[in-house]
C-alpha cells in the first residue's frame, strides 16, 4: 500500500471500486486522489495527521429528527405534484405559489396531511433552458418564476400575454421566464409595496450578506447573459468571476436598483410560499408543505460564486460504473466541501436546511446517502475516474436533526440505488423516513406484503423519474426508452416480458392482501380498480406516510423526467390536462382520496 493510498483512506477517500463486470476491482486514478485531497485541504505528499474520516455510521444522541407522536397513532398520507405542471385560469403558463395554495386546499379538504412538490430552488433566469429543478443555481433561495403575478400590488394584466402562455401543453420556459420576469419588473417599478416596505427592509436585514450576494449574482447573471457570456459565472470575464473584485463592486454600485429588485423577488417568493403553507394547515393538513432538496448545485451558480471553497469546485457528483451504467454516471452537480464545512462549524449546511424548513413541515433529501459519502468525478474526466469521499455523517446528522426538531419537521431520505450497508438502519435510528417505491419493493418475483414494509418509511407507487401506474401497466416506459435509444432491442424485449410477469404478480399481491376483489373488466387500458387497489395496498402497509402522485390521478400521464436524456425528451415540461378547479371532482381523484381517507383517517 502506497503512502498516497494510506493518506486517502485516512481521509475517507476510496482508492478502488468494484468492476461492473464482476471481475475484481478498478483502481481510482492517482490524479483523482491528489485532487480530492487538495480540495479538502490535505497535502497529497504530506504526513498522515488529523482526525480520521468516520468508519461507522454513528447516530449521536442529539442526531434524532422530529417524528410527531400522532404519526405513530394515525399514519398519514399526502399528495405529490410538480408545481410547474399545475394549470389554472389565472396563472401564466406555469404553476405558481397561488396555485400551490389552492392545491393545498384541495388536497387538505380531501384528507391529505401533506402536499409535496419538486425542488423550488433558484435556477437561472438568464438561461431558461436550464430548467431541471434538481440542477439549481443555489438551494438556499427560491425561484422567482413561481411568484403569482396577480398577487402583487403593482401588477397590470396588460404586462403579459397570459392567454398564449396558458394555452400550451408543455411549459415553454423560453417564453414564460422572460415574460414573467418582465411583468415582475414592471410590478416592482410601478408599485413594489402596499404599505409593507418596512417588512421588506426587515427581510433584507435578516437575510444579510448571503441574500445580498445572491441578488447581486442574479443581476450580474442576467447582464452577463445579455452580453453573450452565459448565465453561469464560469463563462464570465475573469474580473466578474470574483465576487470581491473592484469591477463587481462597480457593477453593484451602478446597478443598486436592479439588485434591490432581485431582493424584492426573494421577499415576494418567500411571502407567497409561506402563505401556501398557512393554507395547507388551514385545510387540515397535519404536516403541510413537503419540500424537496436537491443533492447538489450547478458548479457555475450562485452557491459557488463567492462561496470560496464551500463547494467542491473542479469535481462533480455522479455514480461509479455498475451493471446498469457500465461507464458510470456524471450528474454535473457540485457538492459541499466537507473540510470547509467542518472549519465553518457546518454553518453552510445548517443555513441551507433552515432555508427549506422555514416554509415546510417535511423535507425530502434527494440521494440521502450524501450524508455519508458522495462519488466525485474530476472535471473533464469520465465517471470511471471518480472516487467516493466520506462525509462527517454524525455532525451532518446532528445539524439536520437540530433543525428538524426546532421546526417540528419530518425528514425523508431518498435511499434508492446503491445504499451502503447499515445506512438504512442509521436512518431509522435517526427518525429519517426511508423511501419505499412499490415498483421496487420485491423479494425475487414477489411483491412485498404490506406488513413487510418498514414503519419508518414513506411509501408510494413511483417518483418523478418513473412512469405513473397507467403507463407502467401498459409498458409505455419500456417502449419510450427503446425509442430514445436508451435501451437496446433485446433488452427492451426482455423488459417487456418481465413487465407482463410483474403485472400478474402485482395483481396476485393485491388480491392476497384484500386490496383488490372481484373480476377486472376486459379492456386494453388499466381499469380504475387497479389504480385504487394499488393505493389501498400502500395504505395498508406499515409505512408512516403514503404519497399519491397527482399525475396518477389526473395527469399529466407523460413522464416527468426521462433519466439519461437532456433535449431528446421534454423533461420537466408536461402540464396537467385539466385546471385546478376541476381536480376535486375528477373521478380518479375522488376515488383514490376517498379510499385513502377511509384507510388512513386523521387522528381525531
Amino acid at each position: 500500500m502506497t503512502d498516497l493510498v494510506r493518506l486517502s483512506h485516512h481521509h475517507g477517500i476510496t482508492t478502488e471500486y468494484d468492476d461492473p463486470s464482476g471481475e475484481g476491482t478498478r483502481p481510482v486514478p492517482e490524479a483523482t486522489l491528489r485532487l480530492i485531497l487538495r480540495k479538502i485541504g490535505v497535502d497529497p505528499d504530506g504526513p498522515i495527521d488529523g482526525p480520521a474520516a468516520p468508519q461507522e455510521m454513528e447516530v449521536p444522541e442529539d442526531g434524532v429528527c422530529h417524528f410527531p407522536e400522532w404519526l405513530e397513532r394515525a399514519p398519514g398520507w399526502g399528495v405529490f405534484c410538480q408545481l410547474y405542471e399545475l394549470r389554472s385560469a389565472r396563472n401564466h403558463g406555469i404553476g405558481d405559489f397561488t396555485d400551490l395554495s389552492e392545491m393545498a386546499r384541495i388536497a387538505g379538504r380531501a384528507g391529505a396531511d401533506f402536499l409535496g412538490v419538486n425542488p423550488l430552488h433558484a435556477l437561472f433566469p438568464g438561461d431558461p433552458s436550464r430548467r431541471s429543478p434538481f440542477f439549481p443555481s443555489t438551494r438556499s433561495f427560491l425561484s422567482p418564476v413561481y411568484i403569482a403575478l396577480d398577487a402583487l400590488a403593482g401588477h397590470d394584466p396588460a404586462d403579459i400575454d397570459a392567454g398564449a402562455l396558458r394555452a400550451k401543453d408543455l411549459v415553454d420556459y423560453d417564453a414564460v421566464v422572460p415574460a414573467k420576469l418582465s411583468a415582475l419588473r414592471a410590478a416592482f417599478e410601478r408599485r413594489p409595496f402596499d404599505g409593507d416596505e418596512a417588512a421588506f427592509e426587515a427581510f433584507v436585514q435578516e437575510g444579510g450578506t448571503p441574500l445580498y450576494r445572491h441578488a447581486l449574482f442574479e443581476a450580474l447573471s442576467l447582464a452577463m447573459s445579455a452580453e453573450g457570456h452565459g448565465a453561469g459565472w464560469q463563462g464570465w470575464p475573469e474580473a466578474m468571476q470574483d465576487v470581491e473584485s473592484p469591477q463587481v463592486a462597480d457593477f453593484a454600485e451602478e446597478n443598486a436598483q436592479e439588485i434591490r429588485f432581485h431582493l424584492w423577488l426573494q421577499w415576494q417568493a418567500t411571502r407567497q410560499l409561506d402563505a401556501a403553507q398557512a393554507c395547507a394547515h388551514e385545510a387540515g393538513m397535519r404536516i403541510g408543505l413537503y419540500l424537496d432538496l436537491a443533492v447538489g448545485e450547478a458548479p457555475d451558480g450562485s452557491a459557488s460564486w463567492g462561496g470560496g471553497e464551500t463547494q467542491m469546485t473542479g469535481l462533480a457528483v455522479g455514480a461509479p460504473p455498475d451493471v446498469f451504467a457500465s461507464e458510470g454516471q456524471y450528474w454535473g452537480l457540485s457538492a459541499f466541501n466537507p473540510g470547509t464545512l467542518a472549519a465553518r462549524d457546518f454553518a453552510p449546511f445548517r443555513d441551507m436546511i433552515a432555508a427549506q424548513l422555514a416554509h415546510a413541515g417535511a423535507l425530502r433529501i434527494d440521494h440521502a446517502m450524501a450524508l455519508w459519502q458522495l462519488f466525485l468525478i474530476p472535471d473533464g474526466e469520465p465517471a470511471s475516474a471518480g472516487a467516493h469521499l466520506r462525509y462527517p455523517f454524525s455532525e451532518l446528522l446532528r445539524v439536520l436533526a437540530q433543525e428538524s426538531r426546532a421546526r417540528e419537521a419530518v425528514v425523508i431520505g431518498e435511499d434508492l440505488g446503491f445504499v451502503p450497508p447499515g445506512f438504512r438502519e442509521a436512518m431509522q435510528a435517526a427518525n429519517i423516513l426511508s423511501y419505499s417505491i412499490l415498483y421496487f419493493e420485491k423479494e425475487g418475483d414477489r411483491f412485498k406484503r404490506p406488513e413487510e414494509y418498514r414503519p419508518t418509511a414513506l411509501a408510494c407507487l413511483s417518483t418523478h423519474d418513473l412512469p405513473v401506474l397507467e403507463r407502467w401497466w401498459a409498458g409505455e416506459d419500456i417502449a419510450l426508452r427503446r425509442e430514445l435509444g436508451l435501451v437496446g432491442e433485446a433488452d427492451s424485449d426482455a423488459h417487456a416480458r418481465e413487465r407482463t410477469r410483474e403485472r400478474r404478480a402485482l395483481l396476485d399481491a393485491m388480491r392476497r392482501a384484500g386490496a383488490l376483489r372481484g373480476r377486472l373488466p376486459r379492456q386494453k387500458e388499466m381499469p380504475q380498480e387497479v389504480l385504487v387497489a394499488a393505493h389501498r395496498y400502500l395504505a395498508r402497509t406499515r409505512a408512516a406516510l403514503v404519497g399519491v402522485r397527482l399525475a396518477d390521478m389526473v395527469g399529466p400521464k407523460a413522464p416527468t423526467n426521462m433519466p439519461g436524456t437532456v433535449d431528446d425528451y421534454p423533461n420537466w415540461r408536461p402540464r396537467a390536462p385539466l385546471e385546478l378547479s376541476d381536480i376535486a371532482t375528477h373521478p380518479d381523484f375522488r376515488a383514490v382520496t376517498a379510499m385513502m381517507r377511509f384507510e388512513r383517517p386523521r387522528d381525531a
Side-chain angles (χ1 to χ4, degrees):
M1 184 183 292
T2 67
D3 290 343
L4 180 63
V5 168
R6 281 192 290 268
L7 184 64
S8 298
H9 286 173
H10 181 79
H11 291 286
I13 306 170
T14 57
T15 58
E16 60 183 16
Y17 54 84
D18 292 337
D19 191 287
S21 67
E23 299 179 3
T25 59
R26 290 187 186 182
V28 172
E30 181 179 315
T32 298
L33 300 178
R34 289 181 170 276
L35 175 60
I36 295 176
L37 285 167
R38 286 195 297 269
K39 287 295 180 180
I40 62 176
V42 176
D43 181 358
D45 299 308
I48 298 177
D49 56 12
Q55 299 301 309
E56 296 182 0
M57 300 176 196
E58 296 182 1
V59 178
E61 289 186 6
D62 57 349
V64 179
C65 295
H66 173 70
F67 190 83
E69 183 272 336
W70 57 259
L71 200 49
E72 296 185 24
R73 295 196 316 269
W77 68 280
V79 174
F80 297 129
C81 71
Q82 306 294 313
L83 177 53
Y84 61 80
E85 76 188 5
L86 298 181
R87 189 188 293 267
S88 67
R90 44 146 302 282
N91 74 26
H92 298 83
I94 188 168
D96 58 31
F97 289 129
T98 294
D99 292 328
L100 184 63
S101 292
E102 181 57 24
M103 188 64 232
R105 292 189 189 96
I106 293 168
R109 290 166 183 164
D113 278 318
F114 66 81
L115 174 60
V117 292
N118 55 280
L120 304 179
H121 310 319
L123 300 179
F124 292 84
D127 186 356
S129 68
R130 299 175 69 166
R131 60 184 181 269
S132 171
F134 288 94
F135 203 87
S137 171
T138 175
R139 293 174 287 181
S140 294
F141 299 102
L142 297 168
S143 173
V145 76
Y146 294 125
I147 295 174
L149 293 172
D150 54 352
L152 304 176
H155 176 61
D156 184 335
D159 292 336
I160 187 169
D161 186 355
L165 297 173
R166 276 199 293 264
K168 301 181 180 182
D169 292 328
L170 296 175
V171 178
D172 185 350
Y173 290 93
D174 288 339
V176 167
V177 174
K180 286 200 71 170
L181 196 62
S182 176
L184 287 164
R185 197 182 301 280
F188 173 73
E189 293 172 352
R190 185 179 294 119
R191 185 182 172 189
F193 306 108
D194 191 17
D196 48 13
E197 187 171 3
F200 166 71
E201 298 297 349
F203 173 82
V204 172
Q205 183 72 21
E206 184 179 356
T209 299
L211 173 62
Y212 178 82
R213 281 193 172 178
H214 174 66
L216 172 57
F217 175 88
E218 294 282 78
L220 193 51
S221 175
L222 283 167
M224 291 292 99
S225 183
E227 293 178 12
H229 299 296
W233 63 264
Q234 291 179 350
W236 300 349
E238 187 173 351
M240 294 306 189
Q241 295 182 21
D242 180 6
V243 69
E244 303 290 353
S245 74
Q247 291 87 342
V248 169
D250 290 344
F251 176 89
E253 183 177 353
E254 294 167 6
N255 294 273
Q257 186 67 359
E258 175 72 1
I259 294 169
R260 186 173 173 84
F261 167 60
H262 290 284
L263 292 169
W264 179 80
L265 291 179
Q266 287 302 310
W267 177 58
Q268 291 291 355
T270 298
R271 296 176 85 195
Q272 292 189 10
L273 182 56
D274 286 341
Q277 173 71 333
C279 284
H281 285 304
E282 289 168 6
M285 291 187 179
R286 295 180 290 181
I287 291 175
L289 296 183
Y290 161 131
L291 298 187
D292 207 338
L293 180 71
V295 69
E297 289 144 326
D300 58 350
S302 169
S304 59
W305 184 71
E309 284 302 308
T310 301
Q311 299 290 318
M312 294 284 281
T313 54
L315 292 156
V317 180
D322 58 24
V323 295
F324 299 105
S326 60
E327 299 304 315
Q329 298 178 50
Y330 181 85
W331 301 342
L333 295 159
S334 64
F336 280 127
N337 186 322
T340 308
L341 281 181
R344 298 186 183 180
D345 194 27
F346 301 95
F349 179 74
R350 183 185 300 278
D351 293 345
M352 180 189 69
I353 297 297
Q356 308 302 311
L357 296 184
H359 316 290
L363 179 65
R364 173 192 179 270
I365 300 176
D366 191 46
H367 194 70
M369 289 75 76
L371 295 169
W372 173 246
Q373 65 181 16
L374 277 173
F375 191 75
L376 301 175
I377 305 160
D379 286 352
E381 297 294 329
S384 57
H388 277 107
L389 172 65
R390 191 69 44 80
Y391 275 70
F393 180 76
S394 295
E395 287 77 7
L396 293 176
L397 200 56
R398 182 180 288 112
V399 171
L400 176 63
Q402 288 171 350
E403 294 300 318
S404 165
R405 294 195 302 271
R407 296 284 183 173
E408 296 188 344
V410 176
V411 178
I412 301 100
E414 186 265 298
D415 53 346
L416 304 177
F418 172 72
V419 181
F423 185 78
R424 287 196 174 109
E425 290 75 12
M427 287 176 61
Q428 182 174 348
N431 277 349
I432 299 177
L433 299 187
S434 185
Y435 220 55
S436 294
I437 308 300
L438 176 67
Y439 299 162
F440 302 149
E441 290 293 323
K442 299 170 67 179
E443 290 286 351
D445 294 333
R446 176 184 68 83
F447 282 89
K448 289 182 180 179
R449 296 184 296 274
E451 60 271 20
E452 294 179 284
Y453 278 63
R454 295 181 296 277
T456 51
L458 181 148
C460 50
L461 292 182
S462 62
T463 74
H464 54 263
D465 287 335
L466 297 167
V468 296
L469 186 62
E470 179 183 307
R471 298 295 173 89
W472 178 90
W473 185 267
E476 292 184 15
D477 57 309
I478 298 170
L480 183 56
R481 285 196 296 272
R482 182 201 301 254
E483 179 185 328
L484 294 171
L486 300 174
V487 180
E489 297 288 328
D491 286 340
S492 293
D493 290 342
H495 293 165
R497 291 191 294 271
E498 174 61 20
R499 184 61 52 81
T500 299
R501 290 190 291 270
E502 286 182 309
R503 277 201 306 269
R504 295 194 192 105
L506 180 58
L507 289 174
D508 289 343
M510 292 192 297
R511 286 197 166 102
R512 282 196 302 270
L516 178 65
R517 296 177 179 174
R519 296 175 63 86
L520 292 176
R522 289 183 176 274
Q523 58 187 60
K524 184 177 180 181
E525 299 80 15
M526 184 187 75
Q528 185 197 58
E529 291 93 329
V530 172
L531 176 66
V532 177
H535 286 101
R536 183 181 292 115
Y537 190 82
L538 291 178
R540 293 180 178 180
T541 67
R542 300 192 299 158
L545 293 173
V546 169
V548 181
R549 279 178 76 180
L550 183 65
D552 264 304
M553 297 183 286
V554 305
K557 303 299 184 182
T560 299
N561 178 53
M562 285 297 294
T565 67
V566 178
D567 296 320
D568 296 327
Y569 179 82
N571 296 316
W572 315 110
R573 296 184 61 195
R575 301 183 67 206
L578 73 168
E579 294 190 357
L580 275 168
S581 57
D582 297 322
I583 287 177
T585 56
H586 189 282
D588 287 348
F589 183 87
R590 294 181 63 181
V592 173
T593 57
M595 179 277 300
M596 293 299 294
R597 280 197 306 275
F598 177 80
E599 294 285 345
R600 291 190 167 221
R602 287 180 184 147
D603 195 6

